């Protein structure tokens, strides 16, 4: 085989390598662009989620299996009376230190998780003396990065609602009592009027 005969083969191999390299470069560029688009989509979704959470009047906490905060919305802090704007990465126990209402809430969560309860919906009473609060709370498990378990805890302060229901119930009781008291008085009043007419006549 002469050198002249070998050149076309070398040229073909070089052309194949160049073509393969160009093709690989294009695939890498497409993969980078898709990754970039995926990251942008994730960031957009995170932005949307942040807007939604900020507008909710319901408290939302997302925590990992060690109760480290991943997400805490503004309403959660308002309901608990704690500033949670920089809570991400902190443990609930640390954040609750010195905060009576929040400490009771965290203790209630710990009791449920220690019992192996990961999904529940319950009323939680926080006894702060005159500042007693009643929360309606729901918890659901959440898969987080690395396959670890996490939880989303959603809660709302229903103290005022319960008080309004109690007031309405007492109002209904008072209305019924007034009705029951009035009923026997009606025939008595009629008899008294008849007797009065007879005495006058």
């Amino acid at each position: 085989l002469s050198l002249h005969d070998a050149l076309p083969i070398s040229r073909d191999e070089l052309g194949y390598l160049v073509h393969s390299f160009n093709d690989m470069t294009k695939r890498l560029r497409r993969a980078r662009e898709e990754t970039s688009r995926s990251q942008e989509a994730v960031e957009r979704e995170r932005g949307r989620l942040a807007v939604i959470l900020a507008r909710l009047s319901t408290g939302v906490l997302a925590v990992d299996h060690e109760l480290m905060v991943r997400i805490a919305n503004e309403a959660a802090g308002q309901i608990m009376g704690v500033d949670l704007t920089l809570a991400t990465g902190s443990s609930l126990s640390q954040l609750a230190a010195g905060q009576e209402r929040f400490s009771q809430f965290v203790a209630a969560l710990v009791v449920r998780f220690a019992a192996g309860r990961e999904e529940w919906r319950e009323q939680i009473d926080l006894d702060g003396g005159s500042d007693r609060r009643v929360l309606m709370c729901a918890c659901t498990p959440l898969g987080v990065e690395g396959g670890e378990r996490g939880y989303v805890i959603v809660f709302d302060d229903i103290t005022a609602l319960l008080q309004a229901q109690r007031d309405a119930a007492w109002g209904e009781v008072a209305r019924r009592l007034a009705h029951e008291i009035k009923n026997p008085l009606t025939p008595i009043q009629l008899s008294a009027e008849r007797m009065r007419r007879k005495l006058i006549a």
Side-chain angles (χ1 to χ4, degrees):
L1 188 66
S2 67
L3 183 61
H4 178 73
D5 292 333
L7 280 175
I9 297 171
S10 298
R11 210 175 288 125
D12 287 346
E13 287 177 353
L14 184 61
Y16 175 74
L17 286 172
V18 169
H19 175 73
S20 296
F21 181 77
N22 287 339
D23 188 47
M24 183 181 69
T25 304
K26 286 177 186 174
R27 283 200 305 259
L28 284 171
R29 187 171 62 244
R30 278 197 299 268
R32 274 197 298 268
E33 287 170 358
E34 286 172 13
T35 301
S36 177
R37 280 196 295 271
S38 296
Q39 287 174 341
E40 287 171 7
V42 167
E43 290 306 317
R44 278 196 303 273
E45 290 306 314
R46 279 185 181 158
R48 286 191 190 115
L49 179 61
V51 169
I52 291 167
L53 290 175
R55 291 180 179 172
L56 285 176
S57 60
T58 300
V60 178
L61 285 174
V63 297
D64 66 13
H65 69 293
E66 293 180 343
L67 299 188
M68 301 290 283
V69 177
R70 292 184 175 271
I71 295 172
N73 72 342
E74 188 177 341
Q78 289 173 348
I79 292 169
M80 291 299 161
V82 179
D83 183 8
L84 296 176
T85 51
L86 301 175
T88 302
S90 301
S91 74
L92 286 181
S93 299
Q94 289 173 337
L95 295 167
Q99 306 289 336
E100 186 178 0
R101 188 189 309 167
F102 198 20
S103 293
Q104 289 180 33
F105 177 72
V106 173
L109 296 181
V110 169
V111 166
R112 285 159 177 79
F113 293 143
R117 299 177 58 202
E118 294 188 326
E119 189 160 2
W120 44 270
R121 178 184 171 87
E122 290 176 20
Q123 184 174 304
I124 295 178
D125 294 337
L126 307 178
D127 188 14
S130 60
D131 191 27
R132 181 175 174 272
R133 292 273 189 247
V134 181
L135 304 182
M136 180 53 72
C137 185
C139 175
T140 190
L142 174 72
V144 295
E145 294 168 12
E148 295 177 348
R149 295 290 270 179
Y151 307 96
V152 174
I153 303 145
V154 180
F155 52 94
D156 209 351
D157 187 342
I158 59 169
T159 311
L161 176 64
L162 290 178
Q163 186 59 50
Q165 288 175 344
R166 283 192 205 98
D167 292 346
W170 278 113
E172 179 64 16
V173 168
R175 188 188 66 76
R176 287 184 181 180
L177 279 172
H179 181 72
E180 293 301 324
I181 290 168
K182 183 181 175 185
N183 278 346
L185 289 178
T186 302
I188 294 171
Q189 186 178 2
L190 291 173
S191 298
E193 285 176 5
R194 277 197 299 272
M195 287 175 64
R196 182 173 172 272
R197 279 196 297 271
K198 283 180 183 178
L199 289 172
I200 291 172

